[in-house]
Amino acid sequence: MNHTEGMFKPGAFKGKTILITGGGTGLGRSMGKYLLELGANLVISSRKKDVIEKAAEELREETGGKVLAVACDIRKYDEVENVIKMAEAEFGQLHGVLNNAAGNFISPTERLSHRAFDIVVDIVLRGTYYVTLAAGKNWIAKGQAGSFLNIVTTYAWTGSGYVVPSACGKAGVLALTRSLAVEWAKYKIRSNAIAPGPFPTEGAWSRLMPGELVKKFDPAARIPLKRVGEHQELANLAAYLLSDYSAYITGEVVTIDGGEWLRNGGEFSYLEDLKTEMWDQLEKMRK
Ligand code: HXC
Ligand code: NAP
């Protein structure tokens, strides 16, 4: 057993159709690949048609699975409705939605234009609630069960300087996740979230640790488990939360960050830097 291996039995998602927003790159692509390996039909969408079409072609070759790529800007409700229509035309029914698309960059907040703030919140929060509303209304009208899985971050509840628009957007998504878990439970619609710590992707690393920052602030160094995340371990968790194996879990947010956020909040976490000799000295002083 290893955290870099898939943990589900083959065919676990046979007959299920899952939509992943931002599914052509990074974590969305990795989670999609695993769902395809498990037999799911996959719908991927994002703004860049060429990127998702290329990803769909590669994913078909890598897994032998069925992938539909539909270009969509999740900030445009009619485009979101079109993705759902296309998914149903291709595969009959949508069973799960993975709200993964996001936008982010680092900046002191006072340097942001109001448009820069809007652009991130619009993708992260407005985009997520548009997709959720369109899919939820569709499921409710047809009396179908469904499962939402939203990708947030640990700073959705702590907040974080230098990524304030993203923190505001993700906090909203967290509220959406928990609110609808209760309100839509009567329709057999579940709503959960995952809060990942650092998982290397081109999209995140280029925007959040540009240039020398990645060397200066190695994320692995501040994580108690001393490493960043592996895409497969996130894919295992996503598959579980989207699947019927988690049928009794709703409104939950699962953190997968090697202990990072708790360590950063722990008053005395800095004592990790104390050498053994210093602890010996302190012990002598005490006696
Ligand atoms: C300050 C910036 C900026 C930056 C853009 N803007 N980048 N301001 N610092 N680095 C401002 C622009 O000046 C402009 O405002 C406004 O934002 C819109 O910029 P555009 O380039 O026109 O926007 P657009 O082409 O729509 O691109 C959106 C984007 C881009 C969010 C800026 O980065 C993007 O496409 N991102 C999608 C993918 C992504 O971000 N992935 C990372 C997710 S990682 P003005 O006023 O000048 O017009 C993540 C991890 C979280 O979320 C947790 C990690 C642990
Ligand atoms: P990524 O590859 O940049 O993924 C973001 C995706 O969102 C892209 O495919 C992008 O495609 C899509 N997107 C952006 N704006 C969109 C819009 N308006 N409409 C539709 N799609 C849009 O980055 P990632 O690291 O894999 O991030 C995936 C998710 O994980 C995000 O929710 C992020 O916040 C979260 N996360 C990541 C980390 C990490 O360490 N990587 C940590 C915590 C949380 P287009 O540009 O083609 O639209």
Side-chain angles (χ1 to χ4, degrees):
M1 198 194 313
N2 187 307
H3 67 279
T4 58
E5 290 168 8
M7 61 181 262
F8 271 79
K9 59 185 180 201
F13 272 80
K14 204 163 172 29
K16 302 285 184 193
T17 301
I18 309 292
L19 163 65
I20 306 186
T21 63
T25 64
L27 301 181
R29 190 188 190 285
S30 296
M31 292 185 281
K33 184 178 176 206
Y34 187 47
L35 294 172
L36 280 168
E37 286 167 1
L38 296 174
N41 302 316
L42 190 68
V43 184
I44 56 174
S45 75
S46 86
R47 294 166 300 180
K48 298 186 190 103
K49 195 167 186 279
D50 53 331
V51 171
I52 48 168
E53 281 182 349
K54 185 164 176 283
E57 194 50 51
E58 289 167 0
L59 287 167
R60 280 183 212 111
E61 274 169 29
E62 287 165 22
T63 67
K66 291 183 188 153
V67 191
L68 174 70
V70 187
C72 161
D73 184 333
I74 54 172
R75 295 167 295 183
K76 298 180 179 154
Y77 196 75
D78 56 332
E79 292 187 18
V80 170
E81 284 188 309
N82 180 54
V83 175
I84 293 166
K85 205 174 84 194
M86 301 280 281
E88 289 189 333
E90 183 81 8
F91 298 121
Q93 183 185 339
L94 201 56
H95 299 88
V97 172
L98 212 173
N99 278 310
N100 164 81
N104 203 355
F105 45 74
I106 50 167
S107 173
T109 308
E110 67 276 16
R111 287 182 180 227
L112 292 175
S113 69
H114 67 280
R115 225 178 77 78
F117 209 108
D118 286 346
I119 211 98
V120 172
V121 175
D122 270 2
I123 300 171
V124 176
L125 181 55
R126 186 198 299 266
T128 302
Y129 70 66
Y130 275 5
V131 175
T132 303
L133 200 63
K137 277 173 182 272
N138 183 282
W139 282 331
I140 293 164
K142 293 180 171 153
Q144 288 172 8
S147 181
F148 288 110
L149 180 59
N150 301 329
I151 305 298
V152 294
T153 67
T154 50
Y155 59 64
W157 52 86
T158 61
S160 174
Y162 306 98
V163 284
V164 170
S166 170
C168 294
K170 295 288 191 185
V173 174
L174 184 58
L176 182 76
T177 307
R178 289 175 168 153
S179 305
L180 291 180
V182 175
E183 190 182 336
W184 284 356
K186 59 180 174 283
Y187 301 120
K188 298 203 168 12
I189 295 173
R190 294 189 299 122
S191 168
N192 289 297
I194 296 177
F199 280 72
T201 65
E202 166 64 28
W205 259 225
S206 63
R207 292 173 176 95
L208 304 178
M209 283 177 278
E212 291 293 298
L213 288 194
V214 72
K215 285 189 212 135
K216 206 168 156 52
F217 302 110
D218 174 17
R222 59 170 189 267
I223 296 173
L225 288 176
K226 296 293 173 228
R227 67 172 176 87
V228 290
E230 290 279 346
H231 288 207
Q232 183 62 51
E233 57 195 337
L234 178 70
N236 284 337
L237 179 58
Y240 172 66
L241 289 172
L242 280 167
S243 78
D244 291 341
Y245 292 119
S246 62
Y248 203 46
I249 300 180
T250 195
E252 189 53 77
V253 185
V254 182
T255 300
I256 178 165
D257 73 342
E260 183 189 35
W261 89 270
L262 282 173
R263 187 240 182 218
N264 292 339
E267 181 71 36
F268 290 96
S269 299
Y270 66 88
L271 290 179
E272 199 169 283
D273 294 342
L274 246 60
K275 302 271 182 293
T276 312
E277 304 79 62
M278 189 64 185
W279 282 115
D280 291 344
Q281 228 177 337
L282 289 170
E283 199 173 329
K284 270 193 209 134
M285 282 163 62
R286 181 167 58 82
K287 284 178 180 162

